[in-house]
Amino acid sequence: VLKPYTLWKYGIKIEKFKEQGDRPYLVLYNHQTGFDQFFVGMAWNGPVYYLATEDIFSLGVLSSLLRWAVEPIPIRKQTKDIAAVKTCYKVAKEGGTIAIAPEGNRTYSGKTEYISPAIASMAKMINLPIALFRIEGGYGVQPRWSDVTRKGKMRAYVSQVIEPEAYKDLSNEELAKLIEEGLYVNEAVIDANFHSDKRAEFLERAIYVCPYCGLSEFESHGNEMECKKCKRKVTYRTDKTLKGIGYDHPFQFVNDWYEYQQDFVNGLDVTELTKEALYEETVMLSEVILYKKKEELRRKAKIRLYGDKIVIDEGTGEELRFPFSEVSAVSVLGKNKANIYHNKRVYQIKGSEHFNSLKYVNIYYRYKNISRGEADVKFLGL
């Protein structure tokens, strides 16, 4: 049903997996667009069981419809979910094909995000042929931070199959490296043009560090984005490159800026940034009743981000405080949402269309790395 619309909207060439036969597979794919799971489904014959984050199971009637249509396997994002692994094992034993985006996140920068080495041990336990499904061009067509799908070209195809006989004697590290290399895509290159008159719109969902001002806020319109502090503007061009307006911008691609931003945060001692809020903004606050629903707690709540905690003023004279020492995870969802896992409860914040939820994840993980005595660890949650 969706195929004609998908081919038109994304300009994608989906190559059928002709060697599929009657065997089940573990399909691992890199994550670029909101439609990646449909690309996998269109390349496969028969049903595919997808791992999906808990957020889509808390949408009431829509969640029920999704369960009825494709029976996705729920997994808690940014946490160790043993139940999800057990379900995958059961599905595999029953002859089902399972699809997983091992990054766990869509790319913000055009490069494949961090893949946990745990995917190797999971793959060995499931013991199915591993099909590496590459999606290329998706960042150019639909960047995670954008609401606009640009006119361009994409490709999706099985690039490699790793048989159980081929990986059974590999160490987990060796298999993880094989998977990482097979799924790695770098779109921070000039390789095509992607057309839209809103090319830079909502780039501030990915960028919150200015090379001139440090931690900052940005606002975008059309093809341009401006730092609110120094007022420097940058334009996002059809070939994915950036250009400063009236000055030499130091970054050619969003990925260059994104990596600079990560390095900047990894250079902060956030444990010292606890007195004054780094950011203060307004969000909608909800509690997620896992796999059931969301309960709105406050439509407009003031949130403050510090180097060691998140504080939310519910507007009733009371505050919700989330010391990072007590928080088990902070994860980014979609384009402008984040989940906070605290004391067996899950809170969700959702900001305006310009809201950057990424900084909450990055600052949290920077604090965790320092508090564990691992200040040299670069991983910031994605």
Side-chain angles (χ1 to χ4, degrees), residues 106-276:
R106 285 175 61 187
T107 175
Y108 272 101
S109 67
K111 278 187 179 179
T112 302
E113 296 279 10
Y114 170 81
I115 294 177
S116 171
I119 191 63
S121 57
M122 183 178 182
K124 283 190 172 184
M125 184 195 72
I126 293 174
N127 197 37
L128 292 177
I130 301 171
L132 299 182
F133 191 80
R134 286 176 63 90
I135 300 171
E136 300 170 352
Y139 179 78
V141 169
Q142 191 187 70
R144 179 175 184 172
W145 41 265
S146 176
D147 284 349
V148 176
T149 303
R150 297 103 197 280
K151 293 299 181 183
K153 297 295 182 182
M154 291 183 62
R155 182 188 180 199
Y157 62 101
V158 174
S159 63
Q160 183 181 359
V161 174
I162 311 171
E163 298 288 350
E165 295 77 15
Y167 66 71
K168 68 177 181 179
D169 293 328
L170 296 179
S171 67
N172 287 347
E173 292 76 14
E174 289 171 329
L175 179 56
K177 184 177 181 182
L178 197 60
I179 293 169
E180 289 171 10
E181 292 175 347
L183 294 181
Y184 180 75
V185 174
N186 178 11
E187 296 201 8
V189 293
I190 299 175
D191 55 1
N193 286 293
F194 301 90
H195 298 279
S196 168
D197 58 0
K198 297 180 179 179
R199 295 190 299 273
E201 203 154 275
F202 306 129
L203 178 55
E204 63 269 32
R205 292 170 177 168
I207 299 298
Y208 60 90
V209 172
C210 174
Y212 302 97
C213 308
L215 295 175
S216 187
E217 294 180 88
F218 296 83
E219 186 165 333
S220 62
H221 298 282
N223 299 324
E224 299 176 359
M225 184 175 74
E226 179 183 64
C227 173
K228 289 185 175 182
K229 287 186 178 180
C230 67
K231 305 301 180 183
R232 285 182 173 87
K233 294 183 179 180
V234 63
T235 183
Y236 185 94
R237 303 193 286 190
T238 58
D239 61 1
K240 300 176 288 184
T241 61
L242 302 171
K243 182 176 176 59
I245 299 176
Y247 71 103
D248 291 330
H249 190 67
F251 310 118
Q252 184 180 14
F253 295 98
V254 171
N255 178 70
D256 302 328
W257 200 342
Y258 184 79
E259 291 185 349
Y260 169 85
Q261 178 170 276
Q262 289 183 310
D263 290 342
F264 181 91
V265 174
N266 276 320
L268 294 176
D269 183 354
V270 295
T271 61
E272 298 294 325
L273 304 176
T274 61
K275 303 300 182 184
E276 297 183 4

